[in-house]
């Protein structure tokens, strides 16, 4: 049995990733780990431990003693929260990564997944169909940490043969778990407000296009990347991955098509500058060519599923 540890398992991605990994590998094979004292109900079908990604010795001891073979390291501060606490964001987003990379370098771990983000790009990056390899000058502490993380992942692969894999996730949209402090969170909140109040005030302007993805695609893509034969993984920094791309006004229109009368207003805040520095859309042809990635959900399909499931 391959033993898998998911650190940061109670968050937006971790919740759904643990469920999907348990469906694939069995409940007992996938240990959920997070800072909480107790396991959330949704993850109670398998093992849970309280684990601090910043406690290097605790993480090392657990991985070695439990003979963990794969780690998905999800613990991080996201873009908006990181701007409010840059020192801690840098610490959290980098230190846990080194602990895991070192465990793999020493032969304890066979495979690592560590997520990057569209935040690695910046205002000097070509914004439309942003290529895999291009100018990357991120202007947020979150983006700087993700870009540095990518470089270290590639370095550990090239120098020490570490099998590390990564995706530059776009903004992720889900209904089983809530987002945790990102600039793309509006695209989840809007569905809750549409259902509960019939109106929404957006913290980004009407015409701010951003790359987004429905969570089902993100989880499937993550597991497909991790299951692909090593020789197919040509990029050891992080793969561009595209789902759909829209502005708040376009998203509101799709919601109005299914929920007439829904209203949207705009009150941009500090997150506008972050969004303005990120791409509008992403070219994911390398992921398609190397390991067969293809998104299943466009904006319309995602909106339908979200409106059907949010708040149930
Ligand atoms: P989240 O904020 O929803 O969840 C993070 C989880 O990590 C939380 O449950 C939190 O309690 C836990 N955590 C925080 N500090 C910890 C620590 N010291 N030890 C153990 N656990 C700790 O984040 P998410 O949206 O699930 O994102 C997961 C990863 O994916 C992050 O690296 C993030 O940068 C990346 N990512 C997310 C998105 C997105 O849209 N959600 C997009 C791009 C990249
Ligand atoms: N959804 C993330 C954020 O907004 C992108 O990495 O921070």
């Amino acid at each position: 049995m391959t033993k898998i540890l998911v650190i940061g398992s109670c968050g937006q991605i971790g919740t759904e990733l643990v469920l999907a990994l348990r469906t694939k590998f069995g409940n007992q094979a996938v240990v959920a780990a997070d800072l909480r004292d107790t396991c959330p109900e949704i993850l109670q079908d398998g093992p849970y431990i309280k684990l601090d990604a910043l406690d290097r010795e605790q993480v090392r001891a657990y991985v070695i003693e439990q003979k963990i073979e794969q780690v998905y390291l999800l613990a991080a501060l996201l873009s908006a929260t990181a701007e409010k606490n840059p020192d801690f964001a840098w610490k959290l987003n980098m230190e846990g990564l080194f602990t895991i990379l070192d465990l793999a370098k020493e032969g304890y771990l066979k495979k690592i997944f560590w997520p990057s983000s569209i935040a690695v790009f910046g205002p000097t990056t070509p914004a439309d169909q942003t290529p895999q390899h291009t100018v990357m000058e991120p202007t947020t502490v979150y983006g700087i940490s993700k870009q540095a993380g990518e470089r270290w992942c590639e370095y550990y692969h090239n120098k020490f043969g570490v099998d590390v894999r990564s995706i530059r996730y776009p903004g992720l949209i889900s209904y089983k778990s809530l987002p945790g402090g990102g600039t793309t969170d509006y695209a989840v909140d809007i569905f809750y407000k549409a259902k509960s109040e019939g109106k929404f005030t957006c913290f980004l302007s009407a015409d701010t296009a951003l790359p987004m993805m429905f969570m089902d695609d993100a989880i499937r893509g993550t597991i497909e990347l991790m299951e692909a034969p090593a020789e197919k993984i040509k990029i050891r920094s992080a793969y561009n991955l595209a789902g759909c791309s829209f502005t708040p006004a376009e998203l509101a229109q799709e919601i109005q098509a299914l929920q007439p009368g829904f209203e949207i207003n705009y009150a941009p805040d500090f997150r506008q500058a972050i969004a303005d520095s990120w791409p509008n859309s992403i070219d994911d042809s390398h992921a398609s060519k190397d390991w067969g990635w293809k998104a299943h959900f466009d904006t319309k399909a995602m909106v339908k599923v979200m409106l059907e499931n949010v708040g149930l």
Side-chain angles (χ1 to χ4, degrees):
M1 181 171 81
T2 303
K3 281 196 84 176
I4 300 171
L5 176 66
V6 181
I7 303 178
S9 61
C10 299
Q12 189 192 13
I13 300 176
T15 304
E16 298 211 31
L17 183 63
V18 167
L19 296 175
L21 289 170
R22 284 181 179 163
T23 301
K24 186 171 178 64
F25 296 102
N27 288 352
Q28 295 310 313
V30 183
V31 182
D34 208 293
L35 290 175
R36 293 188 193 192
D37 288 329
T38 53
C39 179
E41 203 181 324
I42 190 169
L43 299 181
Q44 281 176 0
D45 284 343
Y48 174 83
I49 51 153
K50 182 181 177 185
L51 189 70
D52 183 352
L54 287 174
D55 188 336
R56 187 175 167 92
E57 288 317 312
Q58 189 197 11
V59 174
R60 285 184 64 83
Y62 190 81
V63 165
I64 294 168
E65 280 160 21
Q66 297 299 317
K67 298 188 169 38
I68 300 291
E69 290 176 30
Q70 296 183 19
V71 168
Y72 290 72
L73 176 60
L74 306 179
L77 285 198
L78 276 80
S79 58
T81 317
E83 285 309 302
K84 292 181 178 162
N85 198 349
D87 294 350
F88 182 69
W90 177 255
K91 183 179 171 69
L92 177 61
N93 294 7
M94 300 309 299
E95 284 185 14
L97 176 59
F98 282 114
T99 300
I100 301 304
L101 286 172
D102 286 337
L103 279 163
K105 173 185 162 188
E106 292 165 40
Y108 292 111
L109 291 171
K110 290 193 177 142
K111 232 186 262 186
I112 298 171
F113 179 80
W114 171 84
S116 185
S117 163
I118 53 162
V120 294
F121 300 116
T124 51
T125 301
D128 294 315
Q129 289 298 106
T130 300
Q132 175 72 43
H133 303 289
T134 185
V135 178
M136 293 161 79
E137 294 179 327
T139 49
T140 62
V141 66
Y142 176 67
I144 295 168
S145 73
K146 290 296 182 186
Q147 193 194 28
E150 284 193 11
R151 298 289 89 224
W152 280 111
C153 287
E154 190 183 271
Y155 184 87
Y156 269 68
H157 175 75
N158 290 342
K159 288 277 178 182
F160 311 121
V162 167
D163 189 351
V164 55
R165 305 175 183 205
S166 179
I167 287 170
R168 291 171 182 154
Y169 289 129
L172 299 181
I173 299 169
S174 61
Y175 60 84
K176 291 183 192 156
S177 49
L178 291 169
T183 301
T184 57
D185 292 13
Y186 91 84
V188 178
D189 299 342
I190 193 170
F191 291 98
Y192 285 88
K193 290 286 184 339
K195 293 292 281 280
S196 62
E197 298 173 23
K199 59 183 181 190
F200 176 66
T201 301
C202 185
F203 59 72
L204 298 182
S205 65
D207 56 353
T208 309
L210 284 171
M212 301 280 186
M213 182 177 284
F214 187 51
M215 187 62 87
D216 287 23
D217 271 344
I219 299 296
R220 182 178 51 77
T222 303
I223 295 176
E224 284 174 7
L225 172 67
M226 287 295 275
E227 289 298 293
E231 64 273 14
K232 289 197 179 241
I233 311 302
K234 310 286 186 206
I235 291 171
R236 295 297 184 152
S237 49
Y239 276 96
N240 275 10
L241 226 59
C244 44
S245 175
F246 50 75
T247 65
E250 288 163 348
L251 180 59
Q253 261 181 9
E254 292 292 348
I255 294 174
Q256 282 155 352
L258 298 178
Q259 186 180 316
F262 170 69
E263 285 173 30
I264 185 162
N265 299 298
Y266 302 94
D269 66 14
F270 74 100
R271 289 167 283 194
Q272 183 67 48
I274 301 176
D276 287 342
S277 76
W278 289 353
N280 301 329
S281 58
I282 295 288
D283 170 10
D284 60 2
S285 49
H286 281 262
S288 303
K289 181 166 58 73
D290 291 356
W291 47 276
W293 159 253
K294 191 175 176 353
H296 291 174
F297 285 82
D298 61 12
T299 307
K300 198 177 278 302
M302 177 275 291
V303 167
K304 184 169 185 297
V305 180
M306 286 297 287
L307 284 176
E308 283 169 358
N309 288 282
V310 152
L312 290 182

